[in-house]
Amino acid sequence: MAAKKNISKGEQFLLDSGLYVALPINMQILFTQSERDVLNTIRHLSNIGCTAVSISLLSIYTGLTDKPIKKAIDSLKRMEVIEVGKVCKAGTRYTIKYKVLNNIIADLNHEFNPITRLQLADKFRGEGYELHSKMIEKYKDSEFDNKV
């Protein structure tokens, strides 16, 4: 893939250090900042072998307080991106449902019309939980609503 050859030294350092999670650009339109931060922290902790995650640990990693963390977890559960498992003294065991996450990211990546992509993200989030209604209304039938 040609893009890999153009990775800067600074970006390569981050890749080589291994202390990261992949962040597909379309996660920005799919999730709120809090949802994305909580999901990526759970993914990272899981990748380094941390099996139970507490609200306090999520707060330390994300800088968020309890209320937005709990709201993000509820939202991620509702979208079926995470599954909440056993609760123990160390925290809760979360399972990332990669089949769900990867399928919606793939669908968004394959949509080249930015307005249709926003509509697809809102459809995935569910009725009453849309993020982009005003943006869609503002840019529908504009130069950004190309029919590629």
Side-chain angles (χ1 to χ4, degrees):
M1 191 177 212
K4 288 183 181 180
K5 292 180 182 178
N6 295 326
I7 296 174
S8 70
K9 288 180 183 178
E11 193 67 25
Q12 191 62 51
F13 170 80
L14 295 174
L15 292 170
D16 292 343
S17 71
L19 300 175
Y20 61 91
V21 292
L23 182 60
I25 192 72
N26 284 314
M27 277 191 176
Q28 292 184 147
I29 64 166
L30 188 58
F31 301 120
T32 65
Q33 182 70 51
S34 297
E35 292 165 353
R36 201 166 49 247
D37 289 350
V38 168
L39 176 62
N40 285 334
T41 301
I42 292 170
R43 289 173 55 215
H44 169 74
L45 292 171
S46 176
N47 288 341
I48 63 171
C50 184
T51 58
V53 181
S54 67
I55 298 296
S56 299
L57 187 58
L58 286 170
S59 182
I60 290 167
Y61 271 88
T62 64
L64 299 170
T65 58
D66 291 8
K67 188 175 179 179
I69 290 171
K70 289 175 183 176
K71 185 177 176 184
I73 289 170
D74 288 344
S75 186
L76 293 167
K77 286 187 330 189
R78 181 185 45 74
M79 290 184 277
E80 299 181 4
V81 173
I82 64 171
E83 191 172 272
V84 176
K86 187 176 180 181
V87 177
C88 62
K89 283 185 179 183
T92 303
R93 297 179 194 272
Y94 296 99
T95 302
I96 308 295
K97 296 177 77 178
Y98 283 104
K99 186 172 184 178
V100 173
L101 179 62
N102 292 348
N103 283 336
I104 187 59
I105 293 297
D107 289 349
L108 293 170
N109 288 346
H110 289 106
E111 177 54 59
F112 295 103
N113 180 316
I115 306 310
T116 305
R117 190 179 300 126
L118 293 176
Q119 292 169 327
L120 187 60
D122 277 357
K123 183 178 177 183
F124 174 78
R125 291 186 61 80
E127 189 174 337
Y129 299 98
E130 300 90 344
L131 295 176
H132 307 294
S133 301
K134 289 182 181 179
M135 186 80 67
I136 292 166
E137 185 179 321
K138 180 178 179 178
Y139 289 107
K140 187 148 181 68
D141 297 323
S142 74
E143 68 273 18
F144 300 110
D145 193 10
N146 54 21
K147 306 297 181 200
V148 180

